[in-house]
Amino acid sequence: MAVLECHLTFLLLTSVLAAILGSLQVGYHTGNVNAPAKIIEGFFNQTWRDRYNESMPDHSLTLLWSLSVSIKDFGALLGCLGVKYLADSFGRRNSILIVNCLSVVGASLMVVSKFIESFEALILGRLLFGLFCGLVMSLNPLYIQEVSPTALRGAFATLNQVAFASGILLGMVSGLETMLGTEKLWNMMLSLSLIPALAQYLFLPFCPESPRYLLINKGQEDKADAALLRLRGSPEGVLAELEEMKSEAAHARPSVGVWGFFQKRSYRQPIIIVTCVNLTSQLSGFNAIINYSTTMFQANFEEAKYLTLGVGAVNVMFTLVAFFLMEKAGRRRLLLIGFIIIAVCNLLMTVVDSVVQMVPELGSLQVLLVFCLISAYELGPGPISWFIAGELFDQPGRSIAMAFASMLNWGGKFLLALLFPPLMKVIGGYSYLLFMIMAVMGFAFTWFRVPETKGRTFDEIAEDFRGAENLPLHNKNGFNTFT
């Protein structure tokens, strides 16, 4: 509590909350299209009928709807490519404001698509919004980590995931037929993301730019000092933070290109860590459940959509738990606990799925296992996979690292959304064994190779990797979580 009292100021909190409004938008458009899917498909079909005086063929309608849903993730993959240019050219805060216009334009196109009777406008809107997703989910943790004090860095970065999960739940609720998921109001439902988008334009311009960006990237020490003083509220500790930034700047190259990023010797181990943590997190089953939980529950429950709301609520609840535990338990411990629980849940779900037709009462156990898996994911692998890249790299490589991590995240989501339905048709519940294997791999890799970053400055973490071919991570005092 003393740490919070020392470092938590109103402006710091405002800066973090203003930034995560972007993640709230991303989550909202992730969760709001599942429930009204048939209604929006009906709009596609009616538009086609009005144009050509015939109904759209079923296979074409299915393909068009799949394109509409998946094009957001494809746009996100493309958006990741612009993170370095924006973040290093315009700054972290300004870049968030710039990309926010993609959200506004994208949501506006989705809204007007019904009025102008154009499903092309809805698809284009989701593509533009996807570009926003890929950019903002990298820029947000980048900005948050660089404005936060070391003692709160991980907890505040976790708020990005809290906002994302909260947006998913809000989207699920708004998409219900009893809310806005109706034939008359579905396009109004898609417009609600404009509220946090416009709120971001109201609050974020008054928040300071990242002091670390100002000092290390731009060489503007006076501006960095002023921004840091505004964020911390008092001169105590500001000098020490500035000295730590100068130390990092002294060791860092002025700039690192994409090719140089993958060639630089001191980046090799962090790249491997980011790759393994992100892929094992994304391919451990969470995204399959988020995308297809309603379908999973429909076999045994009439009101499956309300159980899906339960999934969304548990998702939010445990991101909040992760927020409070992140600076107490540390990254490594939460990753290890999360991965091992996910592995056990996937194993048990395989068993339950194989016998649930013979013993329908086990359907309730299946729901419980789904809730447990969601909880374990959000306890560690979920939030940490989004921000660990920002902690493992120095300032010149940090923006590329965040873009790389974001591409792995969105690529994993896209791959799982694409492969899970055919996997279920081919091997059924044994699909969960594949997810279990990924979770076990994530646990083993974390145990042997992932260092603890809790309570350590960026320069201290970078020192572990600097100029080393084989890194003696096991010799670091903070590496073994359990000692």
Side-chain angles (χ1 to χ4, degrees):
M1 188 62 68
V3 171
L4 288 172
E5 290 173 356
C6 176
H7 293 295
L8 184 56
T9 63
F10 177 77
L11 183 59
L12 172 60
L13 188 59
T14 301
S15 300
V16 173
L17 294 179
I20 64 173
L21 287 172
S23 306
L24 184 70
Q25 299 170 57
V26 176
Y28 182 76
H29 280 286
T30 300
N32 64 5
V33 295
N34 291 331
K38 292 299 180 184
I39 292 173
I40 301 177
E41 284 182 5
F43 160 70
F44 286 1
N45 201 15
Q46 184 61 46
T47 302
W48 187 272
R49 191 180 297 115
D50 291 342
R51 291 180 187 177
Y52 305 108
N53 292 319
E54 62 179 10
S55 296
M56 185 182 294
D58 287 343
H59 67 276
S60 298
L61 182 60
T62 301
L63 180 63
L64 190 62
W65 177 246
S66 299
L67 174 66
S68 304
V69 174
S70 62
I71 201 165
K72 177 175 73 69
D73 292 344
F74 177 72
L77 283 171
L78 294 180
C80 296
L81 300 176
V83 172
K84 173 180 167 53
Y85 171 75
L86 286 169
D88 290 348
S89 300
F90 301 101
R92 283 48 166 152
R93 181 204 61 180
N94 292 341
S95 295
I96 294 173
L97 290 169
I98 291 169
V99 304
N100 199 42
C101 70
L102 290 171
S103 172
V104 174
V105 175
S108 299
L109 280 172
M110 291 184 235
V111 173
V112 302
S113 63
K114 182 181 179 183
F115 298 119
I116 64 175
E117 298 183 347
S118 170
F119 54 75
E120 295 90 347
L122 190 147
I123 294 172
L124 178 60
R126 282 186 64 82
L127 175 62
L128 291 176
F129 191 83
L131 292 172
F132 165 77
C133 293
L135 288 161
V136 81
M137 290 300 283
S138 298
L139 293 168
N140 276 359
L142 188 61
Y143 175 72
I144 292 169
Q145 287 181 302
E146 291 188 4
V147 300
S148 300
T150 300
L152 297 174
R153 189 179 63 224
F156 278 170
T158 304
L159 282 178
N160 194 57
Q161 188 77 1
V162 173
F164 178 66
S166 299
I168 291 176
L169 179 58
L170 288 172
M172 288 177 173
V173 172
S174 68
L176 293 174
E177 290 181 15
T178 51
M179 300 297 288
L180 298 176
T182 64
E183 191 172 344
K184 290 184 177 181
L185 298 175
W186 64 263
N187 63 323
M188 291 296 102
M189 173 200 70
L190 299 177
S191 73
L192 293 186
S193 66
L194 291 170
I195 297 173
L198 296 175
Q200 197 165 49
Y201 280 125
L202 289 176
F203 296 109
L204 197 56
F206 298 101
C207 301
E209 180 55 87
S210 157
R212 194 170 292 271
Y213 168 79
L214 292 171
L215 179 66
I216 302 177
N217 292 74
K218 307 301 289 184
Q220 299 172 344
E221 185 176 340
D222 291 342
K223 289 185 177 180
D225 190 8
L228 197 57
L229 187 60
R230 289 181 64 202
L231 287 165
R232 302 296 177 260
S234 68
E236 297 179 15
V238 169
L239 183 60
E241 279 197 66
L242 280 174
E243 289 303 316
E244 184 265 320
M245 292 181 202
K246 291 178 182 178
S247 175
E248 183 180 348
H251 290 114
R253 294 179 182 178
S255 179
V256 176
V258 174
W259 179 249
F261 175 83
F262 288 102
Q263 290 287 19
K264 191 173 180 181
R265 182 180 300 173
S266 60
Y267 287 174
R268 290 175 187 171
Q269 287 298 320
I271 287 173
I272 292 172
I273 292 170
V274 168
T275 301
C276 291
V277 169
N278 276 273
L279 289 182
T280 53
S281 296
Q282 296 307 318
L283 300 179
S284 62
F286 169 83
N287 292 297
I289 289 174
I290 284 292
N291 290 331
Y292 301 104
S293 57
T294 301
T295 303
M296 291 168 60
F297 295 147
Q298 277 174 344
N300 299 297
F301 299 95
E302 293 182 4
E303 297 297 331
K305 58 187 177 182
Y306 293 109
L307 287 175
T308 301
L309 286 183
V311 168
V314 170
N315 197 26
V316 174
M317 185 186 309
F318 276 84
T319 54
L320 287 170
V321 172
F323 166 72
F324 288 108
L325 290 181
M326 194 62 65
E327 298 301 347
K328 294 181 178 179
R331 288 47 151 175
R332 243 176 70 85
R333 184 173 303 194
L334 292 180
L335 279 173
L336 290 169
I337 293 172
F339 277 130
I340 198 64
I341 295 176
I342 289 172
V344 172
C345 288
N346 276 309
L347 177 61
L348 293 176
M349 285 175 68
T350 305
V351 176
V352 170
D353 190 81
S354 63
V355 299
V356 70
Q357 298 299 325
M358 296 180 289
V359 189
E361 292 78 9
L362 289 178
S364 298
L365 178 58
Q366 184 186 45
V367 173
L368 180 62
L369 290 171
V370 166
F371 285 179
C372 287
L373 190 149
I374 295 290
S375 305
Y377 176 84
E378 293 296 9
L379 190 64
I384 293 170
S385 64
W386 281 105
F387 73 74
I388 193 170
E391 294 191 320
L392 295 178
F393 290 83
D394 58 16
Q395 190 73 9
R398 192 168 293 127
S399 58
I400 301 179
M402 292 302 299
F404 177 61
S406 188
M407 289 187 73
L408 290 171
N409 266 296
W410 288 110
K413 292 177 189 296
F414 180 75
L415 191 64
L416 204 55
L418 191 67
L419 295 181
F420 183 65
L423 269 177
M424 287 297 288
K425 286 184 178 180
V426 174
I427 60 176
Y430 293 106
S431 304
Y432 301 120
L433 288 180
L434 299 178
F435 301 149
M436 183 198 74
I437 292 171
M438 296 304 298
V440 170
M441 290 173 61
F443 177 87
F445 182 83
T446 301
W447 182 275
F448 290 109
R449 298 303 299 165
V450 178
E452 181 56 75
T453 57
K454 180 190 75 171
R456 306 176 70 194
T457 67
F458 285 121
D459 194 46
E460 288 171 344
I461 297 168
E463 185 64 36
D464 282 348
F465 303 105
R466 201 173 283 139
E469 191 70 61
N470 295 304
L471 302 167
L473 292 175
H474 54 277
N475 293 330
K476 295 296 178 183
N477 292 332
F479 179 69
N480 193 337
T481 307
F482 302 103
T483 57

